[in-house]
Amino acid sequence: MKIKTITKTLNPLEQLPRNTTIPSNPISIEQTNDWTVATALVKTLEDLGVRYAFGLFGGGITPLVASLEQSSIQVLQFRHEAGAAFAAIESYFASGHPVVVFSTTGPGITNALTGLFAARWEGAKIIFLSPCTSATQRGRWAFQETSPYTMSNTGIFTSGTLFNYATTVECSSELPEIARRLALGLGKPGGFVGHISIPRSIQTSSLTTPLPRVNFSQTPVTAGEDAISKSLQLLCEGPFAIWVGFGARGATAEIRQLAERTNAPVMTSSRGKGIFPEDHPQFIGVTGFGGHSSVLEYMQKQRPLRILVLGTRLGEFTSFWSPAMVPSRGFVHVDIDPEVPGTAYPLAETFSIQSDVGTFVKALLKYFPESSRPSPTLPLPRPEYEAIKPCINGLIRPEMLMDAIQRTIVENSDAVIITEAGNSFAWGTHTLRFATPGRYRVSTGFGSMGHAGTGVLGAALARNRKAVAILGDGAMLMNSEISTAVKHKIPAVWIVLNDARYNMCDQGMNMEGFYGVDAEIETADFVMIARGMGADGIRVHNESDIAAALETALTSLVPFVVDVIIDPTRPAPIGSRINSLISQ
C-alpha cells in the first residue's frame, strides 16, 4: 500500500534548556513509502526527543534494533539489561531527554525489571521496548515464550505500579494511539516509564495506516492564588525552615532568594544536595541517612513553627519518619504529585499544595521583597567537617578518601558524582559538599546495588564529560559495565571502597547485636579486571597516594578504576538507619 508523505513541524530539541523533556508543540512524524511498524515506531521515538537507546538485543527484537541503528538514536549494547536501565536513568537526569531501554524476550525482560522499577521510583522518563511471542505461537512452548501463558500479565504488560503506560502491539493501526499516549506521558510533570511490547511478526509488518498529528501541551501545575495566600499566612505566623528535595532541582535560584529574604534555615534531602549551597551560612545540614546531627540540634533547640517542604516525599531515607522532624504547627508541603504531602507524616498538620516548586516559590517571592529580610535570630547549627591528616601506615580510612574526593573532584572539576547503595552512600552524603545542583546523585528509594556502577555510564555519555561512581567492592562485582564503557569510549571513573566485605551489612548487623554472619568477600583486584577489559586503573594502598590517583583518573583517556584498600573497621555514618530499623 502506498502511503502519502506527511510532514509536520517540531521545534529543535537541541535548543531546549537542560531538564526539558519534550516541547509543547505538535510532534512531527514524517512518513515515507514502505515503512514497517518498527521503522514508524523509531521515527516516533526520534520526534519525542530520544537520543539514546540502551540494552541488550536478541532474536526477538532484532528488527526493531536494526531500525534503531538506522536512525539518529545512538544505540549502546550493554552487558546486562539492569545496567542498561540504570544508565538510562542517569542519562535522563543529566540531559532531560527521555531514553529508550530495550531487551529481548523472557529473561531479557526480567533482567531489566530492577532498573525499570528504579526508574519509576526515581522519576525518570524511560521508554522500555521489548518483544513478545507472536499470537499464533503463544502457549506452544516457544523458546523464551513471553506471553500470559508464561509471564504474569499483571504489571509487566499492563499499566500500573511498574509502568505508567504499557501495551502490547498487535497491529500497526494501534501506533497512532501509542504515539499519543507516549507524548502525553512524557509531557506530564514528573517521571514516566512506558513499556511497548511488540511481537517480532508485528515489528516487520507493513504500516497500513498513516500516523496522524499528535497534539499535546505541557502546562506547568501551579497553585491558585488562594493556596499562595494561605501559604503566606501560615509561614508568616512565626519562624519557619525550608526542607528541600530532588523535586526542587529546577528552582535553585528562587529557593535561595526566598531563604535569604526570610532568613529561613535550609536543610536538604540527600538527593537534594547542592540545590541550596552547602557552604551557605543558612544551610543547617542534610537529613536522614548519612545526614548531619546539626539538623536535629536545630529542631531540638530552635524548633520552627512550620517547615516549608519543597519537592521531597519525606520518605524513610530522608526523614526516618522521626517525630523530632515535625515542627510545632506542621508542614506546608509543595509537590507536583498530589499524593505526596501528608503521606510520610499522616498525623502531622499539613497544608498540601500541588504545584511545580519553581512556579510556587516565584509566586511566594512577590510577597517577600528584597528589603524585607528580618534580623538574624540565634546562630544556626552547622554541619561539622573534621580536618583529616594522612596517616603514614595502615589501611586507608574512608574519611580520608572522601576528603581527597572533595578537594580533587568536587572542588576542582565539574564531574558528576554518583554514590552506590551501602556505606559509599553514607560516606558521600555525610562528607561531600556541593554548592551547585546536579552534581550529586544517589538512589534513596529503590536503592539497588549496581545503580551507581552502571548509571555512571549514562551520566558521562549524556554530559560528554567525566562522571564518577563511588561504590563498594560488592557492588562493583555485581554490575559495573566497564566493558561497555570501553567499547563506547565513555569517560567513566569508578572509585572502589575495597574492604573485602559487604560492609554496611556487616557493620549494621553488629550494631544491632547480630554477630557471626558471613559478610566477607574474597579480595578482588579491580585494576587487573579493568585492564583485562581494555580500561585502566590504579590500586591505592596509602593515604598519601590518594590525591595523585584521583588526578590521574580525571585525566585518563580511557575508563578508569581507582581501587582503594579501605579499613573495614572504620564505622560509617549509618547510625540513624540502624536506630530506625531497631525502632521498627
Side-chain angles (χ1 to χ4, degrees):
M1 177 179 179
K2 299 295 183 181
I3 301 174
K4 182 179 179 181
T5 299
I6 304 174
T7 304
K8 301 174 178 68
T9 59
L10 173 70
N11 285 350
L13 286 172
E14 288 71 20
Q15 298 178 10
L16 293 174
R18 174 169 290 181
N19 293 327
T20 299
T21 53
I22 47 180
S24 59
N25 304 64
I27 295 179
S28 164
I29 297 182
E30 181 179 304
Q31 297 179 201
T32 60
N33 296 336
D34 303 322
W35 275 19
T36 65
V37 168
T39 306
L41 179 58
V42 169
K43 179 57 180 171
T44 299
L45 296 172
E46 286 181 304
D47 291 335
L48 287 170
V50 173
R51 292 180 173 179
Y52 297 109
F54 302 155
L56 184 58
F57 72 128
I61 201 169
T62 299
L64 186 52
V65 171
S67 295
L68 284 167
E69 292 279 10
Q70 297 302 314
S71 71
S72 63
I73 297 171
Q74 184 177 347
V75 179
L76 284 78
Q77 298 286 348
F78 275 64
R79 308 300 169 254
H80 195 279
E81 293 86 351
F86 292 137
I89 294 169
E90 298 308 322
S91 174
Y92 166 72
F93 285 125
S95 69
H97 287 266
V99 184
V100 159
V101 175
F102 61 87
S103 79
T104 192
T105 47
I109 296 171
T110 56
N111 282 348
L113 289 180
T114 299
L116 295 170
F117 267 111
R120 182 72 183 265
W121 282 57
E122 289 291 309
K125 293 186 186 290
I126 305 294
I127 300 171
F128 179 47
L129 304 179
S130 76
C132 63
T133 303
S134 298
T136 58
Q137 299 170 347
R138 293 170 192 165
R140 299 171 59 192
W141 297 107
F143 176 66
Q144 294 180 342
E145 178 165 342
T146 302
S147 75
Y149 289 95
T150 57
M151 302 176 74
S152 171
N153 192 48
T154 302
I156 295 179
F157 302 107
T158 57
S159 306
T161 54
L162 172 54
F163 297 110
N164 299 95
Y165 168 63
T167 189
T168 299
V169 184
E170 301 290 6
C171 64
S172 66
S173 61
E174 296 173 341
L175 285 184
E177 175 61 12
I178 291 170
R180 187 185 75 86
R181 293 289 296 272
L182 290 177
L184 289 173
L186 293 173
K188 290 180 179 178
F192 174 80
V193 182
H195 180 198
I196 311 300
S197 175
I198 315 178
R200 180 179 170 120
S201 59
I202 301 299
Q203 295 174 43
T204 56
S205 64
S206 298
L207 193 65
T208 57
T209 55
L211 294 177
R213 179 187 296 268
V214 180
N215 294 291
F216 70 96
S217 61
Q218 185 172 353
T219 304
V221 178
T222 60
E225 279 301 320
D226 289 346
I228 299 294
S229 298
K230 181 64 174 179
S231 301
L232 181 67
Q233 174 193 333
L234 295 176
L235 296 175
C236 288
E237 288 179 357
F240 72 92
I242 303 174
W243 199 342
V244 177
F246 188 61
R249 62 192 182 279
T252 302
E254 292 83 359
I255 292 171
R256 179 166 183 167
Q257 289 178 47
L258 179 63
E260 291 179 344
R261 293 182 190 182
T262 61
N263 262 334
V266 181
M267 49 191 155
T268 72
S269 68
S270 54
R271 291 206 307 164
K273 280 173 70 72
I275 294 175
F276 189 82
E278 295 188 68
D279 58 359
H280 195 285
Q282 289 171 242
F283 178 71
I284 59 173
V286 177
T287 65
F289 184 72
H292 301 114
S293 60
S294 51
V295 174
L296 290 177
E297 181 185 346
Y298 166 76
M299 293 299 295
Q300 291 165 357
K301 296 180 179 179
Q302 302 183 44
R303 182 179 297 270
L305 194 68
R306 287 188 171 84
I307 293 179
L308 174 62
V309 181
L310 300 175
T312 170
R313 292 177 290 224
L314 301 182
E316 182 179 7
F317 264 36
T318 296
S319 69
F320 290 118
W321 309 306
S322 169
M325 294 304 298
V326 180
S328 55
R329 293 295 300 276
F331 302 102
V332 176
H333 197 153
V334 183
D335 202 277
I336 203 73
D337 184 347
E339 296 185 7
V340 164
T343 301
Y345 288 100
L347 300 181
E349 181 181 342
T350 302
F351 181 62
S352 305
I353 303 163
Q354 183 187 14
S355 177
D356 169 77
V357 171
T359 304
F360 172 84
V361 178
K362 283 180 182 177
L364 206 59
L365 281 170
K366 298 176 185 177
Y367 301 96
F368 294 103
E370 293 185 37
S371 59
S372 67
R373 181 167 184 163
S375 301
T377 53
L378 297 174
L380 293 173
R382 301 267 295 138
E384 295 182 0
Y385 301 99
E386 183 181 352
I388 303 174
K389 295 182 179 180
C391 289
I392 298 175
N393 300 314
L395 298 172
I396 294 172
R397 296 165 294 170
E399 308 97 304
M400 188 65 216
L401 172 61
M402 294 299 155
D403 184 69
I405 291 173
Q406 175 70 34
R407 289 182 284 104
T408 306
I409 299 178
V410 176
E411 297 175 8
N412 288 299
S413 82
D414 61 355
V416 169
I417 294 176
I418 310 174
T419 55
E420 188 69 81
N423 278 357
S424 304
F425 169 13
W427 285 117
T429 298
H430 186 79
T431 308
L432 302 180
R433 305 174 298 283
F434 296 87
T436 56
R439 291 198 58 202
Y440 185 73
R441 280 282 301 140
V442 64
S443 173
T444 59
F446 212 56
S448 307
M449 286 180 66
H451 187 135
T454 57
V456 67
L457 274 69
L461 185 69
R463 288 164 52 90
N464 192 30
R465 64 190 68 164
K466 292 282 184 179
V468 177
I470 304 175
L471 69 170
D473 49 340
M476 192 68 175
L477 288 168
M478 180 179 287
N479 203 344
S480 67
E481 295 289 345
I482 294 175
S483 172
T484 306
V486 170
K487 176 177 174 61
H488 297 286
K489 298 180 174 59
I490 299 174
V493 174
W494 295 263
I495 301 174
V496 185
L497 279 66
N498 194 341
D499 49 22
R501 67 201 64 213
Y502 296 110
N503 208 9
M504 187 173 81
C505 297
D506 193 27
Q507 292 184 357
M509 293 190 72
N510 292 340
M511 291 171 72
E512 288 193 69
F514 301 113
Y515 301 97
V517 178
D518 182 13
E520 294 187 1
I521 305 170
E522 289 299 316
T523 303
D525 189 329
F526 293 104
V527 175
M528 289 184 66
I529 294 172
R531 288 175 177 166
M533 288 187 281
D536 201 358
I538 294 176
R539 179 168 255 204
V540 185
H541 295 273
N542 300 309
E543 292 185 348
S544 58
D545 297 330
I546 298 174
L550 297 178
E551 290 170 358
T552 301
L554 289 177
T555 58
S556 174
L557 299 179
V558 297
F560 201 91
V561 173
V562 182
D563 186 4
V564 186
I565 307 303
I566 290 291
D567 182 353
T569 67
R570 301 294 293 185
I574 62 173
S576 56
R577 163 67 168 165
I578 303 307
N579 292 335
S580 176
L581 289 173
I582 292 172
S583 70
Q584 295 173 38

